[in-house]
Amino acid sequence: MPVDIPEIQFGSLGDALYVDVQGRPTQRVAATVARVVDDYLSAHKETAVCTIELAGADWIDSTFAGCLIGIYKRLAQRGGALRLNHCAADCRKSLAKMHLHNFAEFTETPAPRGLRTLPCATGDRPTPDEIRLMLAAHEELAAIDEHNERIFGPVVNMLRQQLVQEAGES
């Protein structure tokens, strides 16, 4: 039975970064997307733009959404922009439920040629680094407003406890 290892594709869209999450905007791809964006930002000290392809996505999970907020903030510090490409109506509703419908530009740009494929290393049990990523993502979501604090605050607390337990087991 083959193991389901998600992949992303990435490349350049002019001077901008283009990342295709292959219809899976979840916790399983968030760390890889964040790492690709960090590498891009390290190489581009000037205004940076990142396009995240969401074609085929009906929803976005909370970890991925929180990571998008972190990406948006890093881009905005440079006067850059985050673009969500081919974001379907249901996907936009998912973002709106998390109070995230106004932080990115919505675009309908064709994919560039020459994309590279990158597997996303995830397992059945999250590693401490993955838990830290999930924690940071949910802290971003909880910080947006009181509604999000009520929804995501308990998740933040649970992830913090999980990190403490992981540290105790090491």
Side-chain angles (χ1 to χ4, degrees):
M1 178 181 203
V3 177
D4 178 30
I5 299 174
E7 298 177 332
I8 65 166
Q9 292 187 319
F10 68 99
S12 296
L13 191 61
D15 289 338
L17 174 64
Y18 176 91
V19 180
D20 186 345
V21 298
Q22 308 275 297
R24 298 176 175 159
T26 67
Q27 164 268 330
R28 295 189 70 206
V29 301
T32 305
V33 170
R35 188 175 73 242
V36 168
V37 171
D38 287 344
D39 290 348
Y40 167 76
L41 291 175
S42 293
H44 292 82
K45 302 298 182 196
E46 67 284 346
T47 302
V49 175
C50 180
T51 299
I52 306 288
E53 179 63 59
L54 296 174
D58 293 331
W59 57 277
I60 291 178
D61 85 355
S62 57
T63 298
F64 194 85
C67 286
L68 286 178
I69 294 299
I71 291 168
Y72 163 77
K73 287 180 176 179
R74 291 193 307 274
L75 292 166
Q77 288 173 344
R78 298 169 181 228
L82 175 61
R83 297 181 177 143
L84 301 180
N85 207 39
H86 298 111
C87 189
D90 286 344
C91 193
R92 288 183 193 210
K93 286 179 189 174
S94 180
L95 289 168
K97 285 181 183 178
M98 292 181 267
H99 296 191
L100 302 178
H101 48 285
N102 293 323
F103 74 102
E105 300 172 26
F106 294 100
T107 59
E108 301 285 328
T109 304
R113 294 179 182 227
L115 295 176
R116 290 170 280 183
T117 300
L118 184 63
C120 303
T122 61
D124 292 337
R125 184 172 181 211
T127 66
D129 284 342
E130 290 170 329
I131 296 169
R132 280 189 277 283
L133 174 89
M134 292 166 64
L135 174 59
H138 286 86
E139 287 172 335
E140 291 283 3
L141 288 171
I144 290 175
D145 59 25
E146 289 180 16
H147 173 267
N148 276 13
E149 171 58 35
R150 284 191 306 275
I151 301 294
F152 298 110
V155 177
V156 167
N157 292 333
M158 186 257 329
L159 290 167
R160 285 181 181 148
Q161 290 173 354
Q162 193 171 352
L163 274 176
V164 168
Q165 288 174 347
E166 290 285 330
E169 293 174 9
S170 309

